[in-house]
Amino acid sequence: MNAIHVLNGPNLNLLGAREPELYGDATLAAIEARLAAVCDSHGIALHFRQSNHEGDLVTWVQNAGLAGEPVILNAGAYTHTSIALQDAIKGAKTKVIEVHLSNVHAREPFRHHSYISPVAQGVILGFGALSYDLALEALLAGAGPSESRRK
Ligand code: CA2
């Protein structure tokens, strides 16, 4: 694995500035710095990005797929709305791990459905900024279902 992409969706640029009771007080820059240190120590490039635009996320997923590089994706509110992102992940020949800061299942019903989960390798949510570290750890460990448990 030469590179990992961490892609963040709408409003996540505001992390740390507002709603700390929901999302914690870490900024996106602080999360990036922590993940960069881990990636550095493994000789892996980290591409850490945020956009408020759905199409940017779609393009970045496509590009990661073309490069065969794994993705950690917090699609923000697009998680609950974006068929385009689901299609991009389906078409991308690479692993995508879905992450969320908050436990979306303990929140409003409209956050209980994810278009990402059915096409993600796995989902990590509810651990605040640590969700990202756990996703990175899973990628570095090459985590996946064992052959005997795979459908
Ligand atoms: O828990 C998560 O990580 C979410 O992806 C965050 C999204 C939300 O729409 C998803 O349902 C769950 C919202 C990100 C908004 O982030 C803000 C951070 C600080 C202040 C305002 C918004």
Side-chain angles (χ1 to χ4, degrees):
M1 182 167 36
N2 295 323
I4 291 175
H5 299 253
V6 180
L7 307 181
N8 295 282
N11 294 306
L12 285 160
N13 53 312
L14 300 175
L15 260 196
R18 289 174 9 208
E19 305 198 67
E21 66 290 350
L22 266 179
Y23 300 121
D25 53 16
T27 62
L28 211 53
I31 296 172
E32 177 177 5
R34 239 191 5 251
L35 268 58
V38 176
C39 285
D40 265 7
S41 71
H42 286 80
I44 295 169
L46 175 69
H47 304 292
F48 194 101
R49 300 191 168 96
Q50 186 274 334
S51 177
N52 293 327
H53 304 279
E54 188 175 11
D56 288 342
L57 296 163
V58 167
T59 299
W60 293 338
V61 167
Q62 287 179 1
N63 290 344
L66 288 171
E69 294 163 351
V71 174
I72 294 169
L73 174 63
N74 184 350
Y78 289 141
T79 303
H80 317 299
T81 62
S82 181
I83 297 169
L85 265 174
Q86 183 183 98
D87 286 347
I89 294 167
K90 269 187 199 159
K93 299 212 177 331
T94 194
K95 286 183 186 176
V96 175
I97 299 184
E98 176 183 357
V99 300
H100 296 286
L101 298 148
S102 62
N103 177 359
V104 289
H105 299 292
R107 300 182 61 191
E108 305 95 320
F110 65 82
R111 294 185 204 275
H112 296 181
H113 176 263
S114 166
Y115 280 97
I116 311 299
S117 299
V119 292
Q121 190 203 0
V123 184
I124 299 173
L125 56 86
F127 298 102
L130 188 64
S131 294
Y132 288 77
D133 303 75
L134 296 172
L136 179 57
E137 196 175 326
L139 279 182
L140 293 173
S146 73
E147 283 304 323
S148 60
R149 299 181 119 206
R150 210 171 270 159
K151 272 194 244 159

